[in-house]
Amino acid sequence: MTPTITSTTLLNFLKDNVDLTRVCFTLSAAAVVFLLLIHLKLRGKRASPPLPPGPRGLPLLGNLLSLDPELHSYFRDLAQTHGPILKLQLGNKVGIVITSPSLAREVLRENDVVFANRDVPVAGRIATYGGYDIVWTPYGPEWRMLRKVCVLKMLSNTTLDSVYELRRREVRQTVGYCYSRVGSPVNVGEQMFLTILNVITNMLWGGAVEGDERDSLGAEFRQIVSEMTDLLGKPNLSDFYPGLARFDLQGVGKQMTKLALRFDMMFEKLIAQRSSSSLKIRDERDSSGGGQNRDFLQYLLELKEEADSKTPLTITHVKALLMDMVVGGSDTSSNTIEFAMAEIMNQPEILKRAQQELEAVIGKDNIVEESDIHKLPYLQAVMKETLRLHPVLPLLVPHCPSESCTVGGYTIPKGSRIFINVWATQRDPSIWENPLKFDPERFLNNSKWDFSGSDFNYIPFGSGRRICAGIAMAERMVMYSLATLLHSFNWELPRGEKMDLAEKFGIVLKKKIPLVAIPTPRLLDRSLYE
């Protein structure tokens, strides 16, 4: 029997097939779009720049086992093989080493905001109360608030001018100490550390180390600060494998906690004393109509009470800033003075020229004042040359990109640790003539090399938003101290000893063998040593 095809059946058949066709077409179109997206994604991946070259590493460990303790020279040697931008696999962390002024410019100038954060090591986090200081705080409103507090209030030229008498007193006390040691060895770095520590603590809370405590307490404080900076520069498994941080396999966290606690107890005591007497101090200042008695701690505590609700200054910030000033300001400047003295003593013609300039400007019947230092271009050149050969932070403080980006044609992954090897750049023979020779002449009559971070051949204090906040303070203390030591005394090594200029790597560069030298008076009037 032949089926009958009615008009209704035909219409239903056509309708069903039209719907089916639409479904098939939609699915086909979706499949094409999906395949196109996959193609574009794969094509995009193929088009992305590769990671920088670098030495091959081991599974899980990467390049950790091959790291040399002297990282600045080790990174330089790697750059000679792999190029000015290279990658190291440090456990779970990617390290990028930059050894080129043009690439440093890309990081610190052209992509400044992207690289304005820090990869905070465990030791740094412990030392600064969780990273609440100006060094480690992430870039943003909180960091801008902290930098404003430091740069505009503590370390501005106006503030530094106002406490010159304090610096002068401490430097004169050091001269008196060295005069009492005439003919006997003096540990130059240790004495300059204590001088600068006294300047800083007086500026912070009015404290200083004097009298019989000077030698013993100065050496103790310097040892603590030295151990802290050593831990900050030490490769730590807890940083490379964050999951292992709670085990503290190398004991870095435990050691740093112990050292930081010694400062914290002092900070707590000072803050408690100030808090109990703050009303009295405020009343006395109001009645006298001025604020001359305020030191930095008093200013911070008052600022905390008047805190902006959006970015408040907390007691943790206060203690972290105190730690920054004590640790970051004392060791760095004293190491620079020690290196400068060693380099000058190693070349008698440089010592003679520096002293001749001092005699012409100051005379032998006067003492150096800080207002004289801008009249000493040769000594300025000595300081700049010292910071070229022996930059305070040889790898700067590591940066950390907030997003993946491209530098030098290579992909830099988000969250990687960026080392800028200024120590190697400032010894690069393609940039500097006779780069290993200490030659202040290269900085005479040459204004392009300053501390502003604008010329990336020479950035001893870094560049960009995270440039060192204490440049003005460091420049004054180094120049004033160096001029005073050279003007007041002749210096020579103990009999039979030779100058050793070897360096010891850390986040802060140190002289491996301390400079011990014997002073002899140069000034005609012995009362100038009082």
Side-chain angles (χ1 to χ4, degrees):
M1 183 176 176
T2 303
T4 304
I5 300 176
T6 66
S7 59
T8 302
T9 304
L10 181 61
L11 285 172
N12 288 334
F13 174 80
L14 291 172
K15 183 180 178 181
D16 290 342
N17 276 274
V18 168
D19 290 342
L20 182 61
T21 301
R22 285 176 179 171
V23 170
C24 290
F25 178 79
T26 301
L27 291 174
S28 299
V32 169
V33 170
F34 179 70
L35 292 172
L36 181 61
L37 288 174
I38 291 177
H39 172 73
L40 290 174
K41 187 174 182 180
L42 292 174
R43 183 180 176 186
K45 282 188 175 181
R46 288 196 299 270
S48 296
L51 292 171
R56 297 184 64 179
L58 298 172
L60 298 179
L61 294 173
N63 305 107
L64 283 177
L65 294 182
S66 62
L67 289 180
D68 189 292
E70 300 295 316
L71 284 182
H72 59 323
S73 56
Y74 172 67
F75 285 169
R76 175 204 56 196
D77 295 343
L78 284 180
Q80 291 172 352
T81 301
H82 300 283
I85 179 170
L86 62 95
K87 177 185 73 71
L88 294 169
Q89 189 64 47
L90 306 173
N92 293 336
K93 179 73 65 175
V94 173
I96 304 293
V97 182
I98 304 289
T99 316
S100 154
S102 61
L103 295 175
R105 175 184 290 275
E106 285 192 50
V107 170
L108 301 177
R109 177 68 58 81
E110 297 171 16
N111 295 287
D112 190 9
V113 174
V114 173
F115 287 95
N117 286 320
R118 303 296 197 191
D119 182 27
V120 188
V122 169
R125 199 175 297 280
I126 293 171
T128 56
Y129 303 89
Y132 281 94
D133 68 331
I134 194 171
V135 176
W136 301 113
T137 296
Y139 177 68
E142 185 179 9
W143 175 81
R144 284 193 290 270
M145 177 271 293
L146 293 174
R147 187 170 178 91
K148 182 179 179 181
V149 168
C150 288
V151 174
L152 296 185
K153 298 297 181 180
M154 173 64 175
L155 301 171
S156 68
N157 283 319
T158 300
T159 302
L160 293 175
D161 286 342
S162 71
V163 292
Y164 166 55
E165 283 303 319
L166 185 156
R167 291 193 297 280
R168 185 181 190 275
R169 184 184 70 215
E170 293 304 327
V171 170
R172 297 315 305 169
Q173 286 207 4
T174 301
V175 169
Y177 173 83
C178 292
Y179 186 66
S180 73
R181 300 283 299 172
V182 162
S184 302
V186 171
N187 187 318
V188 175
E190 197 170 277
Q191 288 307 309
M192 292 318 305
F193 173 86
L194 185 54
T195 301
I196 294 166
L197 179 69
N198 277 346
V199 168
I200 291 171
T201 55
N202 263 296
M203 289 175 67
L204 292 177
W205 59 74
V209 181
E210 299 177 355
D212 296 337
E213 289 184 300
R214 186 176 180 92
D215 274 347
S216 60
L217 201 55
E220 180 186 357
F221 265 83
R222 195 182 192 204
Q223 182 63 31
I224 295 171
V225 172
S226 178
E227 288 179 22
M228 291 180 82
T229 55
D230 283 347
L231 290 173
L232 287 169
K234 183 178 182 179
N236 183 9
L237 286 175
S238 297
D239 296 324
F240 306 132
Y241 301 97
L244 298 177
R246 58 178 176 163
F247 300 110
D248 192 24
L249 296 175
Q250 293 169 257
V252 170
K254 182 179 180 181
Q255 294 174 64
M256 183 60 88
T257 300
K258 184 178 179 181
L259 294 170
L261 185 60
R262 299 180 71 172
F263 280 114
D264 183 68
M265 292 171 65
M266 179 172 60
F267 296 157
E268 288 278 4
K269 182 179 178 181
L270 288 163
I271 290 169
Q273 290 173 347
R274 288 305 174 85
S275 297
S276 63
S277 60
S278 59
L279 182 60
K280 178 182 177 182
I281 292 172
R282 189 179 298 113
D283 289 343
E284 288 176 353
R285 188 172 64 253
D286 291 343
S287 63
S288 65
Q292 296 304 312
N293 294 326
R294 272 201 313 177
D295 51 38
F296 191 49
L297 177 56
Q298 191 65 38
Y299 165 76
L300 287 178
L301 293 175
E302 291 175 10
L303 192 65
K304 183 182 81 69
E305 296 303 318
E306 305 162 3
D308 179 353
S309 59
K310 292 183 179 179
T311 51
L313 183 74
T314 66
I315 200 67
T316 301
H317 288 128
V318 170
K319 293 197 289 185
L321 286 175
L322 294 179
M323 185 72 83
D324 269 357
M325 297 298 174
V326 173
V327 176
S330 54
D331 207 29
T332 52
S333 294
S334 61
N335 287 340
T336 298
I337 295 168
E338 185 176 19
F339 272 122
M341 287 290 292
E343 292 283 7
I344 292 169
M345 289 174 61
N346 197 46
Q347 296 191 53
E349 66 278 9
I350 293 178
L351 174 60
K352 182 179 179 181
R353 182 166 176 181
Q355 290 181 329
Q356 285 175 341
E357 181 181 64
L358 286 160
E359 286 180 27
V361 173
I362 314 298
K364 277 196 170 184
D365 55 354
N366 261 319
I367 62 174
V368 177
E369 301 288 355
E370 202 172 79
S371 57
D372 297 320
I373 62 178
H374 73 278
K375 308 170 192 173
L376 304 169
Y378 188 73
L379 202 61
Q380 287 274 1
V382 166
M383 179 179 65
K384 288 181 178 180
E385 178 70 342
T386 302
L387 289 168
R388 181 190 70 82
L389 266 182
H390 312 287
V392 174
L393 304 177
L395 303 177
L396 300 183
V397 179
H399 290 252
C400 181
S402 55
E403 61 186 53
S404 296
C405 61
T406 302
V407 172
Y410 295 102
T411 293
I412 307 300
K414 175 183 177 180
S416 52
R417 182 177 290 191
I418 312 300
F419 302 95
I420 310 290
N421 196 345
V422 297
W423 179 87
T425 300
Q426 293 179 176
R427 292 173 173 232
D428 187 340
S430 68
I431 300 171
W432 305 90
E433 185 177 351
N434 296 323
L436 301 185
K437 181 182 179 183
F438 186 83
D439 181 15
E441 294 275 352
R442 70 177 91 239
F443 286 98
L444 280 177
N445 304 315
N446 195 335
S447 59
K448 74 170 184 173
W449 287 317
D450 55 27
F451 302 134
S452 67
S454 56
D455 187 325
F456 286 83
N457 291 333
Y458 183 73
I459 50 170
F461 292 102
S463 182
R465 283 170 172 78
R466 303 301 291 241
I467 193 171
C468 175
I471 296 175
M473 174 73 170
E475 190 172 6
R476 290 183 187 223
M477 278 308 304
V478 171
M479 276 294 294
Y480 183 38
S481 302
L482 195 56
T484 299
L485 291 179
L486 294 175
H487 181 60
S488 302
F489 303 99
N490 286 315
W491 297 86
E492 60 182 15
L493 294 176
R495 186 185 300 275
E497 292 193 13
K498 293 184 178 180
M499 184 63 72
D500 189 325
L501 294 166
E503 301 165 330
K504 179 184 177 183
F505 175 79
I507 193 170
V508 175
L509 197 65
K510 299 177 175 65
K511 195 172 179 298
K512 186 172 287 187
I513 307 297
L515 175 61
V516 176
I518 299 173
T520 304
R522 293 185 71 247
L523 303 181
L524 301 176
D525 185 353
R526 292 301 187 254
S527 67
L528 297 177
Y529 291 99
E530 294 176 358

